[in-house]
Amino acid sequence: MVELNRILLILGLLLLVACSNTEVKYDGNPLKIAVIGDIPELNNKKIHFEPLSLDEFGVNTVQISTNFDAVMITPVIFEEASNDRFVEVYNSSKIPIIFFDSEKRNLPFTNGGLTYETARWESLNNGSHTTMYLSDIGANREAVWYFYLKDEKGLDTLYKEIFQMVETL
């Protein structure tokens, strides 16, 4: 009886873990995304996430741009990621940077003198959930895309839109 309970517990835990991943119906080209912060729990064989540190990104920007399709930065690292020493890194990256779940868009990260904590949320809030930023210093321009989350059930759609945009860049 104890063995049966143990098996049922293990099966229940496996089912819970399997169901906790968000299924994303992205069917484009395979993407390799470096993640600074928490790795998203997604279920899609075409999306490969690889952890990356801020310092590694700052030192190896060219190599990162060659090996990955995008860099995603998540909320647990926003305050550190908004340090002025990374502004030039973001503004010289050759691949898009996804500021996932940033109420303050890309502005605290791509402009000196602001941090995520000190940037005024009210003036930066445009209702978006996530911002994608790509700077082209050679052409003296920048591109910013905003992605909106309507409700928790729309998280898979949000991810799909982000991945589709990364694929086109």
Side-chain angles (χ1 to χ4, degrees), residues 87-144:
V87 170
E88 183 59 33
V89 173
Y90 305 135
N91 289 328
S92 64
S93 176
K94 303 289 185 208
I95 58 175
I97 302 169
I98 303 161
F99 297 101
F100 190 81
D101 197 10
S102 172
E103 295 174 335
K104 301 178 181 184
R105 304 184 312 214
N106 63 296
L107 298 175
F109 308 100
T110 58
N111 296 287
L114 290 175
T115 66
Y116 198 77
E117 184 179 318
T118 63
R120 293 199 42 177
W121 178 79
E122 303 83 23
S123 64
L124 300 177
N125 182 18
N126 68 355
S128 65
H129 178 278
T130 296
T131 301
M132 186 181 306
Y133 175 81
L134 181 60
S135 178
D136 186 351
I137 292 179
N140 197 26
R141 66 184 169 116
E142 66 181 20
V144 179

Side-chain angles (χ1 to χ4, degrees), residues 60-69 94-95:
N60 296 321
T61 308
V62 173
Q63 181 181 359
I64 302 300
S65 295
T66 303
N67 295 332
F68 293 93
D69 298 297
K94 303 289 185 208
I95 58 175

